[in-house]
Amino acid sequence: MSSPDSFFDAPFPPAPALTPFTRIRCAVSPLVSLGAAPLGERRYVPLAGGEVRGPGLSGRILEGGVDWQIARADGVLEIDAHYVIEAQDGARIEVRSQGLRHGPPEVMARLARGEDVPASDYFFRTLVRFTTGAPAWAHLNRQLLISVGCRQASSVLLSLYALS
């Protein structure tokens, strides 16, 4: 039998692989602020539709989704987006995307003004989960994905990678 510390002394297992899954371009409406709240400024961004295209999933984003946000005092933006993708076959897939966006204050100020800023200049990552009752897409209910995001003036671009 191994000692209680053997787990902590053993090498880490290989890191999970990331496989390119899909790309999302989501149109966003103007930000709505609810004002200061205990954890920071509470706000939301209505999602106005968009396109999904990639090897794992293609379709469109239906209007009506919302990206709830908390702008924290430390400059970090907490993201909690909830929306629906309609796949090319008509199946509907619920999406929950939660994560963080942050960077140097001058970069974040440029984003706030609607300027194009290279994604490499700031951190924008989310953990994405899907839920669907469509039999053809049931495998999505068992996946975790990581997105790398880029905020533009009137859209958000996400590159999703399946985590194995």
Side-chain angles (χ1 to χ4, degrees), residues 3-138:
S3 72
D5 288 332
S6 63
F7 170 75
F8 296 104
D9 296 335
F12 275 85
L18 295 174
T19 304
F21 187 78
T22 198
R23 288 197 160 142
I24 294 174
R25 178 184 298 121
C26 183
V28 296
S29 299
L31 178 140
V32 178
S33 177
L34 295 146
L39 300 177
E41 178 193 8
R42 187 67 164 148
R43 56 199 209 172
Y44 68 93
V45 178
L47 305 180
E51 182 180 5
V52 180
R53 195 180 336 158
L57 177 63
S58 292
R60 66 187 183 110
I61 295 174
L62 300 180
E63 276 190 56
V66 177
D67 179 2
W68 284 97
Q69 302 176 349
I70 297 174
R72 299 183 341 201
D74 64 357
V76 174
L77 184 68
E78 293 185 12
I79 298 163
D80 187 0
H82 200 186
Y83 54 97
V84 175
I85 292 174
E86 183 176 74
Q88 289 179 321
D89 65 2
R92 295 200 170 160
I93 302 160
E94 177 186 6
V95 181
R96 192 70 183 257
S97 181
Q98 298 174 304
L100 303 173
R101 190 174 79 203
H102 58 83
E106 63 277 3
V107 170
M108 302 316 287
R110 290 175 54 212
L111 281 176
R113 290 192 300 269
E115 296 179 23
D116 282 337
V117 177
S120 58
D121 288 0
Y122 58 99
F123 181 92
F124 182 174
R125 306 286 188 274
T126 67
L127 174 64
V128 180
R129 296 193 61 188
F130 297 119
T131 304
T132 186
W137 298 99

